[in-house]
Amino acid sequence: MTQLTLVLTEGNTETEISVKQDVFIIGRLPDCDLFLPFGGISRRHARIVKSSRGIWTIEDMGSKNGTQLNYNSVTTPQELHDGDVILLGNVTLTVDFTTDVETPYSQYLKNPETNSQAVTILRDVQELQQQWIEASGIHGKNNKEKAIARLKDLVEIAKNLCAAASIEEIFSQVQQVVFRYIDGIERLALLIDVDNSGTLQLINSAIKNNSEQIELPSDGSWISRSICQKVFTEKVAIQSADTRSDERFSCEQSILVKGIMSAMAVPLWDEDKVVGVLYGDANLYSSHWENNGEEELSFFSTLANLVASSVQRWLLAERLKNQEVIRQRLERYHSPAVVQQLIIAKSFTDIRLPPIEREISILFADLVGFTEISERKQPTEIAELLNKLFEEMLKEVFANGGTLDKYIGDCIMAFFGAPEPQIDHADQAVSTAKAMLSRLQVLNASNFWDEPLQLRIAINSGKAIVGDVGSSQRLDYTALGPTINLAARMEQICPIGECVISEATYHILTEQSDFQLMGDHRFKGIGRVIKVYQTNMSLK
């Protein structure tokens, strides 16, 4: 039977990859059939397809740099022939149609002296607990001394992990013990399910005897994600002395490309929950694991159990920090009571509140005659005036469950109905407006400022987009849309010391008797007539 093999050329090294399925995806994503974590390769770059007649073709999948066959661009599916050259970015693949043969890796990885097959151990982690220190598993004085030394180190690391304040300190403790006692591990990684989504994130990694200070790729492209995911989801421990000769991994072409020849991975098990994976591998065949695999894997698993509780504490601390950041941000916009409700009701994994569409009532409260006041006062006096006024007015916004959007010069912009829905958002907005005007009357009577102050307030209701808008450096929780624009226009026609509302707000009020029709108005940028209602606060 004819077998399609792709020969990957990297410098003077050639790697043979057998194509065993009818649809074979090549790209930069780890879940591709051929994982190529190189520059110029798109996430899903090209696809090789076998037809029902046994004809192989290659097609580009919309890659950024394109696919070439024999140095010609592939714009439509092209048939493959023996000896064809495929170019993807800077990667060269040669097509080889032969009968089924064993790959060079399988020939090389077998122990030349014993010709024994690779050893893979897969165990339930509960079976491995404390197994490495059982007397039946230890033979000889040196082994017993080694086990005692390991036990002492585990006791010491348990103490140090309890005192570790950061994930970096936790990993530092782990790598010292792993590289000291587990032969065969050259690279070590700590992966954690940070946001409880089931997705493992690479948190830290290290290379044994890294005198040249080589840095492993921060995206974790060197790690076998399939092994880690199996360990994480099935709660099993895996160790393979020879990944490429083992049938369990024979279809994982990414292992071939990444150069992983031996690997060990165990879950970070804290009570009934797996919070991450401790992973180690090497580019060399680990003959040591054929004789001491169970012992090494048991020790690695025991170490992971100790690490798991420390990782859980770190995750809790990170969530608390995240919540505190969110609380500080939310307190700029909401009353402390509303903030507490949001923290309890929501499980924020990001400090962003994503934009959503909501039915809200928007309120603009503008200080009358601010320009004239600014002409007569010093900047420091103006700042003092606004600080005092805003402090007093914001109390009424928060008292009615409102959200501060922003201060626009001498104007307060607030809305009701988000982030938590409010069925009575129009009533709450009107209650706030009345309370603000009444409070200002009281402040004026007590000589709050050296001259009486007046407000104009406008309210409109309708749909708006509400959420965090901005860059990674600066975010504003704000409301956007035509509903906001109309409220801003209405404020300009409001009589001094009063509140005006739109017909949209008027029709959803529980109590409408406080308002009377002011008239029909047209506003710039709005192509329809708007009925505006007003209340005369002097009569209330």
Side-chain angles (χ1 to χ4, degrees):
M1 178 179 177
T2 301
Q3 172 68 45
L4 171 59
T5 301
L6 299 176
V7 181
L8 171 64
T9 303
E10 298 178 86
N12 296 324
T13 304
E14 290 187 350
T15 304
E16 294 186 7
I17 301 128
S18 297
V19 179
K20 297 186 177 181
Q21 57 262 53
D22 292 346
V23 179
F24 189 81
I25 306 296
I26 305 172
R28 190 161 45 86
L29 288 178
D31 59 357
C32 289
D33 300 305
L34 177 54
F35 173 61
L36 298 176
F38 309 125
I41 303 297
S42 296
R43 295 162 64 86
R44 283 186 169 84
H45 197 111
R47 174 170 53 202
I48 295 177
V49 179
K50 182 181 181 182
S51 71
S52 58
R53 294 183 298 158
I55 297 174
W56 292 91
T57 60
I58 185 169
E59 57 186 282
D60 188 76
M61 299 181 69
S63 65
K64 181 178 180 181
N65 295 313
T67 301
Q68 294 185 12
L69 179 63
N70 299 324
Y71 306 98
N72 294 314
S73 295
V74 174
T75 56
T76 59
Q78 299 293 313
E79 184 177 348
L80 294 176
H81 302 90
D82 189 47
D84 281 350
V85 176
I86 302 171
L87 297 177
L88 306 95
N90 297 322
V91 175
T92 300
L93 297 170
T94 304
V95 176
D96 182 16
F97 284 112
T98 59
T99 55
D100 286 335
V101 293
E102 189 175 36
T103 66
Y105 280 121
S106 298
Q107 299 284 357
Y108 171 73
L109 291 175
K110 291 178 181 179
N111 189 317
E113 296 180 1
T114 63
N115 200 34
S116 62
Q117 295 290 333
V119 175
T120 296
I121 302 172
L122 191 149
R123 295 283 185 272
D124 184 286
V125 291
Q126 290 179 318
E127 297 177 4
L128 291 168
Q129 291 184 7
Q130 303 302 321
Q131 180 176 326
W132 66 276
I133 58 172
E134 290 180 0
S136 59
I138 301 173
H139 303 284
K141 180 179 179 181
N142 291 337
N143 284 342
K144 289 182 179 180
E145 290 177 352
K146 185 176 181 180
I148 292 172
R150 284 181 170 185
L151 181 58
K152 288 180 178 179
D153 266 349
L154 284 179
V155 172
E156 188 64 26
I157 195 176
K159 294 178 181 178
N160 294 335
L161 286 173
C162 289
S166 67
I167 197 67
E168 289 77 18
E169 291 181 37
I170 293 173
F171 185 75
S172 177
Q173 295 289 332
V174 172
Q175 75 175 76
Q176 291 178 38
V177 174
V178 169
F179 289 152
R180 183 184 306 150
Y181 288 119
I182 301 183
D183 296 328
I185 289 183
E186 297 294 332
R187 303 180 297 191
L188 182 68
L190 176 64
L191 300 98
I192 297 176
D193 180 13
V194 176
D195 54 8
N196 200 31
S197 65
T199 301
L200 292 171
Q201 298 181 31
L202 175 60
I203 301 300
N204 219 324
S205 60
I207 301 176
K208 187 176 183 179
N209 300 325
N210 191 13
S211 58
E212 298 180 6
Q213 299 296 310
I214 298 173
E215 291 188 6
L216 292 168
S218 59
D219 61 357
S221 56
W222 54 277
I223 296 170
S224 171
R225 290 283 178 173
S226 55
I227 290 178
C228 289
Q229 199 61 40
K230 184 178 182 66
V231 167
F232 180 73
T233 56
E234 298 182 20
K235 301 177 183 178
V236 295
I238 292 178
Q239 180 199 77
S240 178
D242 184 349
T243 58
R244 299 179 187 180
S245 292
D246 194 283
E247 293 181 357
R248 301 172 197 259
F249 310 113
S250 61
C251 294
E252 297 181 20
Q253 300 292 347
S254 60
I255 287 180
L256 295 174
V257 177
K258 293 174 184 178
I260 301 171
M261 295 176 114
S262 55
M264 187 187 299
V266 293
L268 300 180
W269 185 307
D270 186 43
E271 297 180 351
D272 294 329
K273 181 178 179 60
V274 177
V275 296
V277 170
L278 192 60
Y279 171 89
D281 69 16
N283 296 115
L284 299 174
Y285 166 70
S286 182
S287 58
H288 171 75
W289 288 355
E290 286 193 7
N291 301 318
N292 300 283
E294 288 276 2
E295 180 184 339
E296 302 284 34
L297 188 59
S298 297
F299 176 71
F300 202 47
S301 181
T302 302
L303 177 62
N305 288 339
L306 292 177
V307 175
S309 57
S310 296
V311 168
Q312 275 284 52
R313 287 195 299 272
W314 173 76
L315 285 172
L316 177 60
E318 289 298 300
R319 292 188 184 111
L320 291 175
K321 288 179 185 177
N322 198 25
Q323 284 192 359
E324 184 58 30
V325 172
I326 294 169
R327 181 184 295 277
Q328 291 174 1
R329 287 199 61 243
L330 292 177
E331 285 178 347
R332 295 171 52 195
Y333 312 109
H334 313 289
S335 68
V338 172
V339 171
Q340 185 60 29
Q341 290 176 14
L342 287 171
I343 293 295
I344 293 173
K346 307 288 185 181
S347 178
F348 294 111
T349 57
D350 193 354
I351 61 172
R352 287 180 179 264
L353 295 174
I356 56 174
E357 186 178 74
R358 280 281 168 81
E359 286 282 346
I360 67 168
S361 288
I362 187 80
L363 177 150
F364 283 88
D366 190 38
L367 179 62
V368 177
F370 180 70
T371 301
E372 290 80 3
I373 295 174
S374 300
E375 290 294 327
R376 301 193 306 269
K377 300 293 184 179
Q378 295 296 319
T380 54
E381 294 178 295
I382 297 301
E384 181 184 359
L385 165 61
L386 292 179
N387 286 337
K388 288 185 175 181
L389 181 64
F390 289 160
E391 182 72 23
E392 294 292 332
M393 297 301 104
L394 200 57
K395 291 177 182 178
E396 302 300 343
V397 174
F398 286 169
N400 289 282
T403 295
L404 173 67
D405 188 305
K406 63 175 69 72
Y407 301 116
I408 309 172
D410 60 320
C411 178
I412 295 174
M413 176 180 171
F415 54 83
F416 301 78
E420 291 295 282
Q422 290 174 291
I423 297 176
D424 59 345
H425 54 81
D427 292 322
Q428 296 298 335
V430 168
S431 296
T432 299
K434 293 178 178 179
M436 292 171 76
L437 293 171
S438 297
R439 178 180 283 263
L440 188 56
Q441 288 180 356
V442 174
L443 292 173
N444 284 333
S446 62
N447 298 318
F448 171 75
W449 196 247
D450 56 13
E451 59 183 283
L453 302 174
Q454 297 291 342
L455 292 175
R456 290 191 181 95
I457 302 179
I459 299 172
N460 183 34
S461 303
K463 291 183 179 180
I465 300 299
V466 183
D468 278 334
V469 177
S471 67
S472 57
Q473 286 75 34
R474 178 181 174 84
L475 290 173
D476 281 321
Y477 186 70
T478 189
L480 303 170
T483 300
I484 289 80
N485 299 337
L486 177 55
R489 300 279 193 274
M490 288 169 50
E491 182 270 320
Q492 299 169 8
I493 67 166
C494 179
I496 294 174
E498 294 189 26
C499 170
V500 297
I501 64 174
S502 68
E503 56 185 313
T505 302
Y506 179 82
H507 288 308
I508 60 175
L509 284 178
T510 303
E511 180 56 59
Q512 299 172 332
S513 60
D514 291 342
F515 289 88
Q516 59 185 4
L517 182 63
M518 181 178 171
D520 293 339
H521 293 266
R522 287 190 176 274
F523 298 96
K524 183 180 179 180
I526 298 173
R528 58 190 173 91
V529 175
I530 304 296
K531 291 185 181 296
V532 178
Y533 296 78
Q534 74 174 84
T535 180
N536 189 336
M537 293 302 296
S538 62
L539 301 178
K540 301 300 173 185

